[in-house]
Each structure stands twice: as structure tokens, then as C-alpha cells.
Amino acid sequence: MKCFYITTAIDYANGSPHLGHASEKTLTDVIARYKRHMGVPVHFLTGLDEHGTKVQQSAEKKGISPQQFVDEVEPLFRALCAKLNISNDDFIRTTQPRHKKVVQECLQRLFDKGEIYKGEYKGYYSVRQEQFVTEKERLPDGSWPEVYGAVTEIVEPNYYFRLSKYQDWLVDFLDHNDFVFPKFRQKQVVEFLKDPINDLCISRPKNRLEWGIELPFDSNFVTYVWFDALINYTSAVGMFTDKFEECWPANWHVIGKDILVPAHAVYWPIMLKALGVPLPKGLLVHGWWHLSGQKMSKSVGNIVDPLAIADQFGPDALRYFLTREMNVGQDADFNFDVFLARYNGDLANGLGNLVSRLLNMTGKSFPEGLPGASADGNLERDLKALWEETRTGMLACYEGMAFHTALEKIFVFVTALNRYAEQRAPWKLAKSKSDDDRILFETSLATMAEGLRLATAALAPVMPGTCDRVYKLLGLSEVGLWKDELSWGTRLKGNVMGQKTILFPKPEIKAEA
Ligand code: ME8
């Protein structure tokens, strides 16, 4: 079976990882894990974008070489992946020989086909954005928008890629294909293409920028960083080798909204088209996290960096929050008070409480193994019916990228399980001498355990560590394929349950009132 190939953007190696990087990797990981639970072979790529002016400048500031600089940054990003339990199969760095080789091969092929030509550029250049800017972008008072930083006028020979030649093709392609998710983002691309696009300057003279991949046909130049970076998606899976078709075309490039236009939705499809290579199947574009975190750092001294939350609360608490609070495509707000409310409400009092209640009682009453459910009352039937509904709903949500709603549905079920526990009150039934109560007692624990197992299996793409832990506590190995995991059954009968466990300890810090 051809693999499901999914990628994140490759992060700029000019600083430390931040919440945006964490959330994009988490989102991509949720999809990758979901697919694996569906039995689909997955190839998941993430990595680092290591060339360009910003890296060269950051290295200069530190007084070290750019290579040394990126070598120091790389472990930070790998540590982020490890900390968040990201299941990437590969980690590409654009300074790796496997990548440079493919970039040069692409450039040479395009040059040989006449798709790249030499011209002269006179214009304004933004160092911060590593791009030329046009008069059109000047503000009414003649200055440049702040995002560009310092803008200087330069004249230099450069190489150009014939982007404009493909504009009509791209417009037509977008007219006939769903390429960008969510749909409103594709409309933004179409809107962008209503104005004529220019050819793309894909070189930088070495006297201005040395830190890049040398053009194979002119050693006085290096490659523009975007032209280099985009190719990571193909260089990592063996472009120009026999292996390439095992993964390519990619199923999703997961990216933020800031790098859709023009990089991923215009440059990249046209580069591939000009090379005669199929396009990826889609661009999955997420919104941005905004931090009401300025406030956060003041109110709770120790949680300045949102990633420190993963240290303090566990990676799954952060993964849960990021997935629960972002409607993919829309922006979201990172607010520590909301984080705490989710942690305490959904995780500690919801899932965590269910686990500790169950294990407390099984530990006391059934240390030799979980009993079976021999009664089938209204409460049990209602729960089973709710599970059927939850399963159908959450599967559709996972498939439709509505992960926040999938979680909402699963937690409605978790709440129902806790309510069931309160209604059946097994802690009271345990004290009764009647045979009927004994049967109900056993049934209630078996029902809680099976419900917990199902909720856990459904949460596995989002909270993989916690779910494997709960599965072990239920006497199972890790969560497997969903075709085997999501039906209400009796497989837990006789399993020896684990010791009472607090999955989500109450935090020591308090949210500000
Ligand atoms: O753009 N919320 O790298 P990058 C959500 N190297 N996502 C965010 C975010 C936020 N606050 N801030 C950044 C680059 N991101 C290029 C990509 S790909 C061939 C080259 C996302 O480190 C951003 O949208 O600036 C992007 O998808 C990713 O983090 C890397 O951003």
C-alpha cells in the first residue's frame, strides 16, 4: 500500500522552538497517529530550514559559523519533538547532503529546460523578510510596513524562475481541484492570483549571502531560501530515485496561514509543474496561536514559556489543550486560565477521576481480575447507545479535520461514564448482601472499565502516552488498530487491573482570579 505522507513546515533554525511550532507538530502528529490507528502506513516528516540571511545574521551576532549555529539549534527542535511525543519518521535538515543534492538537481534541470534565466534586478530588498518589495507596498507616507524591517535599494544580476508563465495553469488547476483546506484559504489563493505574478528571483549573490546552496550553474550565487526549503518535502523521500513514488505525492503539507501565499500555494505547485512532478494532494492550513501569555508570565512566574507547561503538566495535557482549543484553520488563543480549566475539568476531574474511581474499587474488590457484566439495565443500554453515537461522530470528525469536536464528543462520553458511576454508585453496592446488587456491582465496574477503554482508544491520537498508560492499567498492551478497538465488548473480563493511579495530579499553581 502506498504510504500516507504528511509533513509539517520546516522551522527556521534561527531561534528556539515556540508554541506555534509545538502546535503544528502536534496537529500533524494527531493526523499521523489517527491514520496509523486506521491501519494506513504513514510517513511523517518534520525538520529544520537552516539556510538564509536570518541564520547567517544570528550566527554573526553570536560570533560563530552558521553551521555551528544550526548545529546548536537542531537539538532544541529534536527535544521538542521528543518532549511532545511526536511520532515523526524522519527529520530533515536543509544542510544535509541528501537535500542539497536534490535542490541542485532541481535547479540544473530547470535551468537546462530554460525555466530559469539570468536577469538583472534593480529594486528594494527587505532583509527581515528575505524578499524584494515593490513600490506598491509602500505606506502613504513613503515608509515601508514594519514587517519588512530595514528596506534598501539594490541592483544586482540574479537568476529568475519563470513563475508567471504558469499563472494561468495554476488558476485553472485551482478552479478544478480542492487543493487547500479549509476552503476559504483556497479562495485567498485564487484572490492573490487575480493580479499578475512576477517571475521569482531564486538566487542571491554570494557577496550578500553566503549561507545557502550554491547554484550548480553559477558558483557566484546561492539559492533563495524558499526555493531551497520547499524542496525538503521531496528531497526527504528520495526525489530522482526509485523510492520516490513510495511516498510522493504527499497527502498533506501542514502549514500555518502565513506561509500559504505565495510560498506553498504558488511557488511550490509551479516548481513541481515545471519539473514535471505531481503536486501534493493538499495543503492543510492552520491558524495562529495568540498568546494572552504576556499576562500568563506575570501572574505565574514559573510558566513563562508555554512549552514549560509540557514539563509541568505532561505532554498530553498540552497536546490535549492545543487540539481541543484550535478549530483547524481559525486562530486560537493560548490562555493559561483556560488551560487550567481544561486540565482540571476534562482531564483531572473527568478522565483522571474515572480511572482512579475504577481502580480504587477493582483494587479493593477484584484484585484477582475484573468481573463480567451480567446485568443489562437501562443505564448500561443508554451508555452503549451513547458510545455508538460517539464513535460515529468522532470518526467523522477525525476524518474531517474537526479534531476539537472529536474531543468534545469523546469527553461528553467520559462525563456520561462518571455520571453512570454516580448513578450506579458501586461503592454502595459493594456493601450490599443481596445477589442482585452483587450482579449490579460487578456489572457497573465492568461497564465503567469497558467505557473507559473505548474513550481511551478514541483519544489515542491526541494523548498517546496517557492512553497507553490507561491501557496497561486495564491489563492490555498499547492501543492498536481502531478496527479492533472501538466496539463495545467483553475483552477486559478477567484482566487484573493496575494500582489506583492519579493520571493528572492537581497543579500547585493557581489561576489568577
Ligand atoms: O515559516 N501559531 O518557519 P517558521 C501557529 N521556515 N503556528 C505558527 C505560529 C503561531 N503563533 N508561529 C509560527 C517558516 N507558526 C519556514 C517554513 S516550509 C518549506 C518553510 C508556524 O519557523 C508557521 O505558520 O517561521 C509555520 O507553518 C511553522 O510554524 C514554521 O514557522
Side-chain angles (χ1 to χ4, degrees), residues 10-12 18 20-21 24 49 233 256 258-259 286 288-289:
I10 46 171
D11 306 323
Y12 279 130
H18 53 64
H21 298 137
E24 185 172 291
D49 186 356
Y233 302 129
D258 57 315
I259 57 172
H286 60 77
W288 267 38
W289 283 93

Side-chain angles (χ1 to χ4, degrees), residues 257-274:
K257 63 178 185 179
D258 57 315
I259 57 172
L260 173 67
V261 182
H264 282 81
V266 179
Y267 300 166
W268 185 225
I270 294 181
M271 285 162 70
L272 291 165
K273 172 74 180 162

Side-chain angles (χ1 to χ4, degrees), residues 30-171:
V30 168
I31 302 171
R33 288 177 183 273
Y34 157 64
K35 285 287 169 187
R36 292 194 195 103
H37 284 299
M38 296 301 279
V40 178
V42 170
H43 189 74
F44 171 8
L45 174 73
T46 190
L48 277 180
D49 186 356
E50 301 193 330
H51 290 124
T53 316
K54 286 182 214 167
V55 169
Q56 183 168 302
Q57 285 171 343
S58 303
E60 271 163 18
K61 254 193 227 150
K62 258 191 121 178
I64 56 177
S65 72
Q67 188 63 57
Q68 236 177 315
F69 185 86
V70 294
D71 286 348
E72 285 176 14
V73 167
E74 183 225 11
L76 306 179
F77 280 85
R78 284 200 189 262
L80 171 75
C81 291
K83 185 189 284 182
L84 292 183
N85 214 347
I86 302 298
S87 63
N88 54 302
D89 299 287
D90 193 2
F91 188 101
I92 188 157
R93 304 178 60 188
T94 54
T95 49
Q96 286 168 339
R98 62 169 172 163
H99 174 71
K100 291 189 197 172
K101 205 173 117 208
V102 171
V103 170
Q104 290 189 322
E105 178 74 33
C106 288
L107 286 162
Q108 189 64 55
R109 285 184 185 212
L110 292 172
F111 186 69
D112 293 346
K113 286 168 87 175
E115 300 284 1
I116 289 175
Y117 63 93
K118 194 168 187 182
E120 189 168 73
Y121 188 85
K122 286 196 195 76
Y124 299 101
Y125 186 77
S126 152
V127 173
R128 185 182 296 166
Q129 295 300 327
E130 292 178 14
Q131 71 182 57
F132 291 106
V133 291
T134 61
E135 285 290 350
K136 256 194 343 203
E137 283 149 292
R138 270 197 206 270
L139 297 173
D141 68 357
S143 66
W144 298 97
E146 214 186 305
V147 289
Y148 293 127
V151 173
T152 46
E153 195 173 5
I154 50 177
V155 180
E156 62 186 25
N158 261 315
Y159 287 88
Y160 287 83
F161 172 51
R162 294 191 191 282
L163 207 65
S164 57
K165 174 177 147 187
Y166 291 96
Q167 178 157 6
D168 290 345
W169 164 79
L170 185 56
V171 168

Side-chain angles (χ1 to χ4, degrees), residues 119-396:
E120 189 168 73
Y121 188 85
K122 286 196 195 76
Y124 299 101
Y125 186 77
S126 152
V127 173
R128 185 182 296 166
Q129 295 300 327
E130 292 178 14
Q131 71 182 57
F132 291 106
V133 291
T134 61
E135 285 290 350
K136 256 194 343 203
E137 283 149 292
R138 270 197 206 270
L139 297 173
D141 68 357
S143 66
W144 298 97
E146 214 186 305
V147 289
Y148 293 127
V151 173
T152 46
E153 195 173 5
I154 50 177
V155 180
E156 62 186 25
N158 261 315
Y159 287 88
Y160 287 83
F161 172 51
R162 294 191 191 282
L163 207 65
S164 57
K165 174 177 147 187
Y166 291 96
Q167 178 157 6
D168 290 345
W169 164 79
L170 185 56
V171 168
D172 185 63
F173 170 79
L174 292 172
D175 210 23
H176 293 96
N177 293 277
D178 286 334
F179 185 55
V180 185
F181 180 93
K183 261 201 166 130
F184 77 92
R185 298 270 177 217
Q186 176 146 332
K187 289 204 184 108
Q188 292 173 352
V189 183
V190 171
E191 212 41 50
F192 176 86
L193 289 168
K194 286 200 167 137
D195 288 331
I197 55 173
N198 295 320
D199 286 348
L200 178 66
C201 180
I202 52 101
S203 63
R204 297 292 181 265
K206 276 193 185 162
N207 56 19
R208 185 150 63 75
L209 175 69
E210 271 184 49
W211 185 236
I213 300 177
E214 193 175 284
L215 296 189
F217 42 82
D218 192 335
S219 62
N220 294 313
F221 293 86
V222 297
T223 313
Y224 169 47
V225 69
W226 268 107
F227 200 91
D228 154 0
L230 287 162
I231 292 173
N232 90 86
Y233 302 129
T234 50
S235 65
V237 290
M239 190 181 204
F240 307 126
T241 71
D242 293 344
K243 266 184 55 197
F244 189 45
E245 283 182 9
E246 285 171 24
C247 286
W248 196 259
N251 294 71
W252 287 116
H253 292 317
V254 179
I255 56 169
K257 63 178 185 179
D258 57 315
I259 57 172
L260 173 67
V261 182
H264 282 81
V266 179
Y267 300 166
W268 185 225
I270 294 181
M271 285 162 70
L272 291 165
K273 172 74 180 162
L275 283 160
V277 171
L279 305 198
K281 295 193 182 138
L283 306 176
L284 173 53
V285 185
H286 60 77
W288 267 38
W289 283 93
H290 299 289
L291 278 189
S292 34
Q294 313 296 37
K295 197 176 108 213
M296 180 167 92
S297 62
K298 282 187 212 132
S299 56
V300 270
N302 60 332
I303 309 237
V304 179
D305 175 3
L307 296 182
I309 287 175
D311 276 338
Q312 176 153 5
F313 293 87
D316 283 349
L318 181 60
R319 290 174 62 110
Y320 175 71
F321 178 80
L322 293 174
T323 313
R324 181 68 184 80
E325 290 295 318
M326 184 176 258
N327 178 349
V328 176
Q330 308 294 330
D331 286 355
D333 191 42
F334 195 97
N335 176 305
F336 189 67
D337 294 344
V338 179
F339 173 85
L340 270 190
R342 286 262 173 240
Y343 181 87
N344 287 326
D346 299 353
L347 301 183
N349 298 334
L351 188 62
N353 189 24
L354 181 64
V355 170
S356 61
R357 271 174 164 171
L358 173 71
L359 299 182
N360 190 23
M361 284 179 295
T362 51
K364 279 187 198 147
S365 302
F366 299 99
E368 70 294 342
L370 190 73
S374 31
D376 189 23
N378 284 342
L379 293 182
E380 286 75 22
R381 278 200 293 276
D382 287 352
L383 257 188
K384 284 180 197 168
L386 178 64
W387 168 249
E388 287 303 313
E389 208 182 291
T390 305
R391 179 178 62 178
T392 311
M394 71 91 188
L395 280 171

